[in-house]
């Protein structure tokens, strides 16, 4: 919806085309973002209990005839039409993918207020004694918009992003990235970096799995099995220890351990910086793609946050890739 020419209920100034506008999730009233946060609530909060819904005063275009019926398109897929803009949407979507309005529970066809999404832009963040306003800049975006994209643990990441932005430092330690490496990157939806890391780790595994190493691993495994079957034999236990130490001293094993450790260490040191750059790029991209503020907020919610499913997929890919390489190289 276009708000140009409408009046902000806080400062009573008309909205311009490039104004940063926040829409009340309850009644749909637009506010200047700065006015909304200074007022700390919707200007019509007292009327929410009466079922108040904001309606535009300016007549900018002929109203779109609302379409509310659920039907099927030419491909047989169930669809629903937005009562606000008339756009076609998959029937399972609760909100319009174009303008963000409710698709259901809106029988009168009026411009529908948005559902209330988790909004990280309404709170300040802290970095030590420094209080970070949601209106501060992180790259091309505001702190608030970046927080809405990060969503999970935004109160931890935003201060780190802000300090890196101001100090121009790229190193900021992250335990999750250190311990889980590419799995953490997939969990935080950084799929390209995660895929590159998995490919590198598999390449290291393949490069260091030599015939000599395979032979030593098989011999060590046999000695360990004998030690397990002879738990009371001191000689068998000593052979198992010696075989394990010999395996650990092999150059292939040491190179693999060193490269794997270095990879995970770099993830821990630069994971926050990579996530900061990724978030800035994605938020700026979504803002350019969206025609309305409502659509922008909705896409921030849908595209940001974390993905446990993708983190699990990365773990399975890494394990399966290792097993497949081992089978191919041991032949």
């Amino acid at each position: 919806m276009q708000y140009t020419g409408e009046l902000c209920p806080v400062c009573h100034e008309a909205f311009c085309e490039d104004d940063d506008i926040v829409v009340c999730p309850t009644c749909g009233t637009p506010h200047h973002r700065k006015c909304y946060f200074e007022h700390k609530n919707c200007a019509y909060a007292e009327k929410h209990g009466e079922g108040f819904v904001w309606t535009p005063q300016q007549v900018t275009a002929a109203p779109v005839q609302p379409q509310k019926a659920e039907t099927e398109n030419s491909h047989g897929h169930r669809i629903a039409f937005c009562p606000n803009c008339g756009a076609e949407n998959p029937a399972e979507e609760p909100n319009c993918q174009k303008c963000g309005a409710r698709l259901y529970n809106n029988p009168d066809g009026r411009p529908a207020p948005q559902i209330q999404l988790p909004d990280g832009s309404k709170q300040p963040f802290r970095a030590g004694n420094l209080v970070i306003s949601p209106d501060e800049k992180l790259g091309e975006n505001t702190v608030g918009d970046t927080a809405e994209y990060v969503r999970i643990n935004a109160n931890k990441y935003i201060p780190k992003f802000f300090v890196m932005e101001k100090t121009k430092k790229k190193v900021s330690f992250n335990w999750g990235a250190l311990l889980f490496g590419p799995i953490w990157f997939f969990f935080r939806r950084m799929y390209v970096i995660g895929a590159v890391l998995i490919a590198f780790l598999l390449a290291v595994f393949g490069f260091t799995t030599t015939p000599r190493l395979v032979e030593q691993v098989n011999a060590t495994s046999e000695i360990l099995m004998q030690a397990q079957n002879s738990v009371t034999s001191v000689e068998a236990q000593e052979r198992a220890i010696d075989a394990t130490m010999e395996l650990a001293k092999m150059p292939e094993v040491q190179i693999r351990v060193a490269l794997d450790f270095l990879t995970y260490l770099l993830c821990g040191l630069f994971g926050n910086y990579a996530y900061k750059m990724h978030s800035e790029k994605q938020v700026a991209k979504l803002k350019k793609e969206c025609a309305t503020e409502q659509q922008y907020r909705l896409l921030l919610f849908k595209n940001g946050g974390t993905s446990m499913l993708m983190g699990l997929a990365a773990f399975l890919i890494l394990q399966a890739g290792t097993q497949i390489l081992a089978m191919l190289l041991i032949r």
Side-chain angles (χ1 to χ4, degrees), residues 22-58:
V22 173
V23 178
C24 173
T26 303
C27 68
T29 302
H31 304 68
H32 289 111
R33 179 179 290 273
K34 182 178 180 181
C35 295
Y36 188 88
F37 289 125
E38 288 180 352
H39 194 265
K40 298 181 179 179
N41 207 339
C42 173
Y44 298 118
E46 297 178 354
K47 298 182 180 181
H48 288 173
E50 305 170 3
F52 171 79
V53 176
W54 177 84
T55 55
Q57 302 301 314
Q58 299 287 330

Side-chain angles (χ1 to χ4, degrees), residues 4-131:
T4 304
E6 300 292 340
L7 298 181
C8 173
V10 177
C11 67
H12 304 293
E13 293 184 4
F15 295 119
C16 297
E17 185 175 351
D18 297 328
D19 281 351
D20 190 4
I21 298 172
V22 173
V23 178
C24 173
T26 303
C27 68
T29 302
H31 304 68
H32 289 111
R33 179 179 290 273
K34 182 178 180 181
C35 295
Y36 188 88
F37 289 125
E38 288 180 352
H39 194 265
K40 298 181 179 179
N41 207 339
C42 173
Y44 298 118
E46 297 178 354
K47 298 182 180 181
H48 288 173
E50 305 170 3
F52 171 79
V53 176
W54 177 84
T55 55
Q57 302 301 314
Q58 299 287 330
V59 179
T60 56
V64 177
Q65 182 64 31
Q67 296 172 287
K68 296 173 289 183
E70 186 177 305
T71 182
E72 293 186 355
N73 61 15
S74 58
H75 301 288
H77 298 148
R78 292 172 56 245
I79 57 174
F81 293 97
C82 176
N84 181 35
C85 68
E88 178 182 314
N89 293 268
E92 63 271 15
E93 287 289 338
N95 282 64
C96 176
Q97 295 180 325
K98 181 177 181 181
C99 71
R102 291 191 185 116
L103 294 179
Y104 302 102
N105 299 323
N106 187 29
D108 57 4
R110 291 182 300 176
Q114 314 308 304
I115 58 172
Q116 188 166 4
L117 303 175
D119 189 354
S121 68
K122 295 181 180 179
Q123 60 177 340
F125 299 87
R126 295 182 179 276
N129 296 323
L130 177 64
V131 178

Side-chain angles (χ1 to χ4, degrees), residues 202-223:
L202 291 177
V204 169
F205 180 84
F207 174 75
T208 56
T209 304
T210 62
R212 184 179 68 161
L213 177 63
V214 172
E215 182 179 348
Q216 183 65 34
V217 169
N218 291 335
T220 302
S221 298
E222 185 176 345
I223 293 173

Side-chain angles (χ1 to χ4, degrees), residues 147-203:
E148 285 188 63
Y149 180 82
V150 173
R151 209 162 69 238
I152 308 298
N153 287 334
N155 59 328
K156 180 180 76 173
Y157 285 105
I158 291 301
K160 292 182 179 181
F161 291 175
F162 189 78
V163 170
M164 284 189 284
E165 178 80 12
K166 298 305 178 184
T167 61
K168 305 302 180 183
K169 292 182 179 179
K170 299 181 180 180
V171 176
S172 175
F173 196 75
N174 186 305
W175 278 104
L178 173 70
L179 296 175
F180 299 103
I183 298 172
W184 177 84
F185 281 92
F186 270 83
F187 176 68
R188 281 286 165 183
R189 299 179 183 269
M190 290 179 277
Y191 304 132
V192 174
I193 298 178
V196 170
L197 289 171
I198 287 178
F200 177 75
L201 292 174
L202 291 177

Side-chain angles (χ1 to χ4, degrees), residues 94-325:
N95 282 64
C96 176
Q97 295 180 325
K98 181 177 181 181
C99 71
R102 291 191 185 116
L103 294 179
Y104 302 102
N105 299 323
N106 187 29
D108 57 4
R110 291 182 300 176
Q114 314 308 304
I115 58 172
Q116 188 166 4
L117 303 175
D119 189 354
S121 68
K122 295 181 180 179
Q123 60 177 340
F125 299 87
R126 295 182 179 276
N129 296 323
L130 177 64
V131 178
I132 307 169
S133 167
D135 294 322
E136 291 275 2
K137 284 289 188 178
L138 279 175
E140 301 177 11
N141 316 301
T142 64
V143 165
D145 286 358
T146 307
E148 285 188 63
Y149 180 82
V150 173
R151 209 162 69 238
I152 308 298
N153 287 334
N155 59 328
K156 180 180 76 173
Y157 285 105
I158 291 301
K160 292 182 179 181
F161 291 175
F162 189 78
V163 170
M164 284 189 284
E165 178 80 12
K166 298 305 178 184
T167 61
K168 305 302 180 183
K169 292 182 179 179
K170 299 181 180 180
V171 176
S172 175
F173 196 75
N174 186 305
W175 278 104
L178 173 70
L179 296 175
F180 299 103
I183 298 172
W184 177 84
F185 281 92
F186 270 83
F187 176 68
R188 281 286 165 183
R189 299 179 183 269
M190 290 179 277
Y191 304 132
V192 174
I193 298 178
V196 170
L197 289 171
I198 287 178
F200 177 75
L201 292 174
L202 291 177
V204 169
F205 180 84
F207 174 75
T208 56
T209 304
T210 62
R212 184 179 68 161
L213 177 63
V214 172
E215 182 179 348
Q216 183 65 34
V217 169
N218 291 335
T220 302
S221 298
E222 185 176 345
I223 293 173
L224 290 174
M225 289 291 294
Q226 293 173 358
Q228 288 180 353
N229 296 329
S230 307
V231 292
T232 58
S233 172
V234 175
E235 183 180 355
Q237 300 300 318
E238 288 179 347
R239 283 203 306 269
I241 294 173
D242 290 341
T244 303
M245 293 182 65
E246 286 298 320
L247 179 63
K249 291 178 181 178
M250 294 189 68
E252 294 94 328
V253 174
Q254 294 181 347
I255 291 173
R256 180 186 299 176
V257 170
L259 289 177
D260 284 358
F261 175 76
L262 180 61
T263 300
Y264 280 81
L265 178 62
L266 291 175
C267 289
L269 293 175
F270 295 97
N272 287 331
Y273 179 74
Y275 192 28
K276 173 181 179 293
M277 300 305 295
H278 171 80
S279 299
E280 289 181 10
K281 180 180 179 181
Q282 291 302 310
V283 172
K285 178 183 176 183
L286 290 175
K287 194 163 190 176
K288 290 178 181 178
E289 291 177 351
C290 296
T292 66
E293 182 74 10
Q294 294 97 322
Q295 184 187 17
Y296 174 52
R297 297 295 161 194
L298 186 62
L299 289 182
L300 279 179
F301 176 75
K302 293 179 68 174
N303 289 276
T306 59
S307 175
M308 185 66 71
L309 179 62
M310 294 306 296
L312 178 60
F315 172 76
L316 294 176
I317 290 171
L318 186 58
Q319 294 300 311
T322 302
Q323 294 296 324
I324 293 171
L325 277 176

